[in-house]
Amino acid sequence: MLKWHRNCYIGENVKDLPGIRKRLENGRAVPGIYLLALSENPRNLLEIFPAVTLMQRTAASLCPEIIGIAKGKDEAFGLVESIVREIYRETGDVQVKEYFKNR
């Protein structure tokens, strides 16, 4: 089962979020959808990856907590920018992991 942050960011072009989440949970392909997650790499703030990678059971079982969902790569990059700007505006810093732990 995938882990979703309770306050997941959703791109404006994402339609039928419940349907997309259900298909992802069932290991089905959702072309064009990108997911945002907190990075395991300390050099990165966030990870962006295509949802189709979750069709691989090992990838799905290792998937970190999902904090955002976007339609297309461009929207995913824009969503990352919005998230980082919001965190900086609210905290004066870009400590993304700490922000989501306390949110």
Side-chain angles (χ1 to χ4, degrees), residues 30-87:
V30 187
I33 295 295
Y34 284 79
L35 303 173
L36 284 63
L38 297 175
S39 180
E40 300 290 325
N41 183 340
R43 293 181 154 183
N44 298 334
L45 298 175
L46 298 168
E47 300 286 341
I48 299 173
F49 58 96
V52 295
T53 60
L54 297 179
M55 289 182 62
Q56 301 171 7
R57 289 185 186 186
T58 53
S61 67
L62 297 173
C63 181
E65 183 177 29
I66 299 167
I67 62 156
I69 184 168
K71 175 82 172 165
K73 196 182 291 187
D74 288 339
E75 184 172 78
F77 284 119
L79 197 55
V80 165
E81 182 181 352
S82 296
I83 291 168
V84 173
R85 283 180 187 269
E86 178 182 321
I87 293 169

Side-chain angles (χ1 to χ4, degrees), residues 15-39:
K15 307 296 183 228
D16 188 27
L17 181 62
I20 291 171
R21 285 181 66 161
K22 183 177 179 181
R23 287 176 26 206
L24 290 173
E25 294 288 344
N26 291 324
R28 294 176 43 210
V30 187
I33 295 295
Y34 284 79
L35 303 173
L36 284 63
L38 297 175
S39 180

